[in-house]
Amino acid sequence: MAIPLAHFQVSPIENSEIQPRKLLCFTDNRQKAAAFPALLEEETFTHDLGRKILEIVDRFPDTGVGLEELGKLLANCTDVNDENYDSTLFLPTSRLPDKKLSLDEQRNLWLSETFAYFGIPDSARESIEDLGLVSVEYDIEFSLLTKLREILGVSEFSIEDTNSLLQTLLTDMRRQKAITLPDGKVAHDDLAFGRASFDSNFAETWNNKARGWLPKNESNESYAT
């Protein structure tokens, strides 16, 4: 017999006075005691992290903030000695390794979370990027945009159009985990990335592990440029 644990308010139904609720049940008290804290942390953390990221990004309306700097600012929010300390923000136990961590290692965990948040697609499509509240933009040199515009050979394409095209392609690459992580601070197998594999990559010539947009054939060995 299932033991009701708690009712949680979920999104209201439009034009309805009925307040929908989600019921969590466990088969026995031992299962409830073991699973509930970790389950609750996992359920709320992604939303808490998104809200905190949005709060930080709002401080930089003109310049934006880099991903690595964002990770450092998130780490500051968990430092009791920092003026921006937030007692409601903490990593779920599933993100914490068994070993005791140094202060730098603890801060690096937030770097991992930041790159995972923007590098691993959210299956529920509920990240603040999916919701259109923030966007990730790459700093691209003007000379590279000019070179790409020449490659495209479309006279109607402006530099702004070329930049938009390249930003879209780079976003697709990032969402397929073709991202460069801060060396020595974030590893591909950090707990923040879950079971995501980083075996694939984008390359200029075809190989078995490469991804791209051009098919391999006898006349064209180019795979992605």
Side-chain angles (χ1 to χ4, degrees):
M1 181 177 181
I3 300 174
L5 176 64
H7 284 90
F8 285 90
Q9 189 68 45
V10 295
S11 301
I13 301 175
E14 189 176 0
N15 301 325
S16 174
E17 296 181 357
I18 300 176
Q19 297 297 320
R21 305 179 82 79
K22 181 186 293 185
L23 177 64
L24 297 180
C25 295
F26 296 96
T27 56
D28 57 44
N29 284 310
R30 288 177 300 173
Q31 187 184 68
K32 177 178 68 174
F36 178 62
L39 174 65
L40 186 59
E41 288 176 354
E42 289 291 339
E43 287 292 322
T44 61
F45 176 68
T46 303
H47 301 287
D48 292 341
L49 179 61
R51 283 191 291 267
K52 180 55 67 174
I53 290 175
L54 191 59
E55 178 184 312
I56 292 174
V57 170
D58 281 343
R59 300 181 205 161
F60 306 89
D62 299 322
T63 61
V65 58
L67 290 185
E68 189 167 352
E69 181 62 23
L70 177 60
K72 294 176 181 178
L73 293 172
L74 285 169
N76 290 343
C77 293
T78 62
D79 183 350
V80 294
N81 298 315
D82 192 276
E83 61 180 354
N84 294 309
Y85 173 67
D86 184 350
S87 61
T88 64
L89 183 68
F90 53 87
L91 290 172
T93 54
S94 63
R95 305 293 208 282
L96 301 174
D98 295 332
K99 68 174 184 177
K100 187 176 181 179
L101 301 173
S102 66
L103 182 60
D104 285 342
E105 288 174 327
Q106 293 177 39
R107 298 181 69 83
N108 287 342
L109 289 180
W110 287 100
L111 287 179
S112 299
E113 289 295 336
T114 303
F115 278 84
Y117 188 83
F118 289 103
I120 307 299
D122 178 16
S123 59
R125 306 287 293 177
E126 293 180 346
S127 75
I128 55 177
E129 184 180 13
D130 288 320
L131 296 174
L133 299 175
V134 299
S135 62
V136 178
E137 184 172 335
Y138 293 82
D139 291 328
I140 304 170
E141 295 180 6
F142 183 81
S143 59
L144 294 178
L145 292 176
T146 303
K147 185 179 296 185
L148 176 59
R149 185 169 180 267
E150 293 174 355
I151 293 173
L152 294 173
V154 181
S155 58
E156 292 81 4
F157 254 58
S158 66
I159 288 295
E160 290 75 17
D161 294 331
T162 306
N163 180 62
S164 297
L165 171 64
L166 189 53
Q167 293 289 344
T168 301
L169 294 179
L170 291 173
T171 296
D172 180 61
M173 293 170 68
R174 170 169 56 88
R175 286 302 185 96
Q176 296 190 52
K177 300 174 290 295
I179 53 180
T180 301
L181 303 175
D183 188 32
K185 298 179 181 179
V186 179
H188 288 144
D189 58 354
D190 282 349
L191 294 172
F193 299 105
R195 298 180 180 179
S197 171
F198 287 84
D199 293 336
S200 60
N201 58 78
F202 286 77
E204 293 184 3
T205 56
W206 186 89
N207 66 67
N208 290 334
K209 290 187 176 181
R211 292 177 180 267
W213 300 277
L214 299 177
K216 176 181 179 294
N217 55 53
E218 295 180 358
S219 60
N220 183 9
E221 288 293 331
S222 178
Y223 197 63
T225 57

